[in-house]
Amino acid sequence: MNKKIKGDLHIHPTISDSDYTIDEIMKKASENSITHISITDHDTLLGNTKSVEIGKKYEIEVISGVEISAYDYKRDSKVHILGYGKLGKNVNALCKNTILAREKNSKKYFDIILEKGYEISWERIKELSGETGVFKQHVMLHLIELGYTDDIYGDLYKKIFKEEKIVEDIKYVDIYDALRAIKLDGGIAILAHPAVYKNQDLILELLKFGLDGIEIYHPKHSLEDIATLKKIADENNLIKTGGTDFHGNMDTKYNEIGSFYSDEEALIKILKKL
């Protein structure tokens, strides 16, 4: 009997904003009977080669991927898009500026937090961060170490990053440029968790530029969201994917690898396109 395949196609390791290494992720996936995985770090392809090699050790097939942080300037809304396949120069060129801008922004809010009297260290925050630089979560980890709080996304996070809004967010790449880069590299483009940023109205527009599918099964999607997105996908012949959007213990809630996943039908469609 052939082994049933299922894949968690939205996973973040320590390279960006997670506390799980690629090896720890693969071990968890193997324990949870996941056959396919995609390491989709924020705005970088750094983990892809390594994840393919480690995947072999656990007999897990790795689909190379990325999650690009973009923006829908027409609707003034963030939007994330997942790219799968042998991505290269176009995605790398697009993401390079985002990584540099995020690091520059991180140093700005570090300086302001320091001025407010929090005895934090940039060197220590850098030690806690991944290969793509400092995220807000890494600053919060350091504040936890120092005893200022015991929760990454608790009251202190809300005060510093939401209420006081000490630094403006970076300027993200246009969603159409992000989609174009994925397609130019010969990749598969999947709109990530559309209900999280209320991107549902964007789907039909992106279809005209080569969108391949929608991430439907996601921890932050309600049953109503899933039903709505499934209808859109079915009416437009889009691939219906799923993933945990795993960040380990650095998310608002820990989601077990494989608790949301892409089924056999979706995986076969993706693998045929690679």
Side-chain angles (χ1 to χ4, degrees):
M1 184 181 292
N2 291 331
K3 183 180 179 181
K4 185 176 180 180
I5 63 172
K6 70 177 187 177
D8 191 334
L9 301 187
H10 194 164
I11 294 183
H12 301 274
T14 51
I15 291 169
S16 57
D17 56 345
S18 169
D19 59 349
Y20 272 65
T21 65
I22 294 173
D23 197 280
E24 289 169 335
I25 286 166
M26 294 297 175
K27 186 174 185 294
K28 272 277 185 186
S30 179
E31 291 169 355
N32 295 342
S33 302
I34 297 298
T35 60
H36 293 70
I37 262 187
S38 186
I39 297 298
T40 52
D41 262 313
H42 297 287
D43 310 302
T44 183
L45 304 173
L46 276 175
N48 284 320
T49 301
K50 185 177 182 180
S51 63
V52 169
E53 291 306 310
I54 295 175
K56 291 174 184 175
K57 182 171 75 171
Y58 291 96
E59 297 183 338
I60 292 173
E61 185 171 343
V62 174
I63 298 170
S64 295
V66 68
E67 182 175 26
I68 299 176
S69 309
Y71 210 83
D72 177 3
Y73 286 94
K74 179 179 177 181
R75 297 172 182 82
D76 192 25
S77 175
K78 286 183 178 181
V79 51
H80 289 179
I81 190 163
L82 296 158
Y84 301 118
K86 294 180 180 178
L87 306 170
K89 67 176 184 179
N90 290 288
V91 167
N92 276 325
L94 185 84
C95 291
K96 181 181 178 182
N97 289 334
T98 301
I99 292 171
L100 293 172
R102 183 182 287 122
E103 185 77 353
K104 187 177 179 180
N105 221 39
S106 296
K107 188 61 170 64
K108 279 183 185 177
Y109 58 67
F110 164 82
D111 290 337
I112 295 171
I113 293 168
L114 190 64
E115 287 173 9
K116 287 179 176 288
Y118 296 94
E119 297 179 358
I120 53 178
S121 160
W122 181 250
E123 289 71 25
R124 178 56 183 153
I125 291 170
K126 288 290 288 180
E127 288 173 0
L128 292 168
S129 68
E131 293 167 67
T132 55
V134 173
F135 285 71
K136 294 170 186 174
Q137 295 93 318
H138 300 122
V139 176
M140 293 307 303
L141 280 178
H142 186 37
L143 288 166
I144 289 171
E145 283 183 335
L146 297 173
Y148 288 109
T149 182
D150 59 3
D151 185 355
I152 290 178
Y153 294 100
D155 291 340
L156 186 59
Y157 178 90
K158 291 170 187 172
K159 178 185 176 185
I160 292 174
F161 298 113
K162 300 294 183 183
E163 295 165 12
E164 296 179 357
K165 204 171 185 183
I166 58 174
V167 175
E168 290 297 317
D169 209 348
I170 67 171
K171 183 177 174 63
Y172 293 102
V173 300
D174 188 280
I175 180 56
Y176 294 97
D177 291 334
L179 175 56
R180 189 179 298 111
I182 292 168
K183 301 307 289 186
L184 284 172
D185 278 345
I188 298 167
I190 306 289
L191 189 63
H193 44 63
V196 172
Y197 293 130
K198 310 301 180 190
N199 303 133
Q200 292 92 325
D201 292 343
L202 179 63
I203 296 169
L204 296 183
E205 290 183 17
L206 294 180
L207 267 173
K208 303 169 190 174
F209 296 89
L211 184 70
D212 296 289
I214 313 171
E215 183 181 47
I216 292 175
Y217 308 104
H218 184 278
K220 292 181 180 175
H221 280 176
S222 67
L223 292 176
E224 184 181 353
D225 293 331
I226 290 170
T228 300
L229 293 169
K230 280 177 73 175
K231 186 173 185 293
I232 294 171
D234 289 337
E235 289 174 350
N236 294 281
N237 197 30
L238 289 166
I239 302 171
K240 301 186 288 283
T241 73
T244 52
D245 199 356
F246 184 78
H247 289 78
N249 298 297
M250 290 178 68
D251 205 344
T252 50
K253 177 186 174 184
Y254 179 88
N255 294 296
E256 187 64 76
I257 289 173
S259 54
F260 292 82
Y261 61 89
S262 298
D263 63 15
E264 190 164 345
E265 179 185 352
L267 284 170
I268 288 170
K269 286 179 179 178
I270 288 172
L271 293 170
K272 281 182 177 179
K273 282 177 170 279
L274 293 177

